[in-house]
C-alpha cells in the first residue's frame, strides 16, 4: 500500500508540473480530495523525489500568487451571467 501512495504522489506532481494545474484540477483528474493532493505534494513527495517536489512546489507557489486573479475573474463572470 505504501508504494501506491508514493506512486500517487509522483503522478500527481507530474500532472501538476506538466499541465501547470491547480490542486483542484489535479484532485478532480485523479478523483481524490484536495487535502490528499496537498498532503501528497507538500509532505510525502519531499521524502520521495526532492527534484520533482521542487518543481511541483514552484507551480503551487505560482498558483497561490495568482489565485486572487482567478477569483476575481470568476466573480466577474458570475455577475455578468457567463460561465
Amino acid at each position: 500500500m505504501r508504494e501506491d501512495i508514493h506512486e500517487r504522489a509522483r503522478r500527481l506532481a507530474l500532472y501538476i508540473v506538466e499541465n501547470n494545474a491547480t490542486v483542484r484540477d489535479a484532485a478532480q483528474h485523479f478523483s481524490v480530495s484536495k487535502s490528499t493532493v496537498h498532503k501528497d505534494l507538500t509532505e510525502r513527495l519531499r521524502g520521495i523525489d526532492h527534484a520533482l517536489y521542487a518543481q511541483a512546489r514552484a507551480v503551487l507557489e505560482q498558483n497561490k500568487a495568482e489565485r486572487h486573479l482567478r477569483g476575481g475573474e470568476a466573480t466577474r463572470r458570475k455577475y455578468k451571467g457567463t460561465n
Side-chain angles (χ1 to χ4, degrees), residues 7 13 30 44 80:
E7 183 58 30
F30 287 95
R44 293 184 177 123
K80 206 170 187 183

Side-chain angles (χ1 to χ4, degrees), residues 14-83:
L14 284 172
Y15 179 80
I16 284 180
V17 169
E18 290 172 355
N19 298 299
N20 200 27
T22 64
V23 170
R24 286 177 188 245
D25 293 337
Q28 184 175 13
H29 183 79
F30 287 95
S31 299
V32 295
S33 70
K34 294 183 307 180
S35 299
T36 299
V37 173
H38 192 265
K39 184 168 183 132
D40 281 355
L41 295 179
T42 59
E43 295 177 18
R44 293 184 177 123
L45 190 62
R46 181 184 290 175
I48 300 169
D49 186 341
H50 202 288
L52 185 56
Y53 165 78
Q55 291 176 331
R57 192 75 188 156
V59 174
L60 292 177
E61 289 298 324
Q62 178 184 357
N63 288 340
K64 185 176 180 182
E66 295 172 351
R67 70 182 171 189
H68 68 283
L69 299 173
R70 279 199 270 328
E73 179 62 24
T75 302
R76 187 181 70 78
R77 282 193 315 254
K78 175 183 175 182
Y79 288 106
K80 206 170 187 183
T82 58
N83 282 334

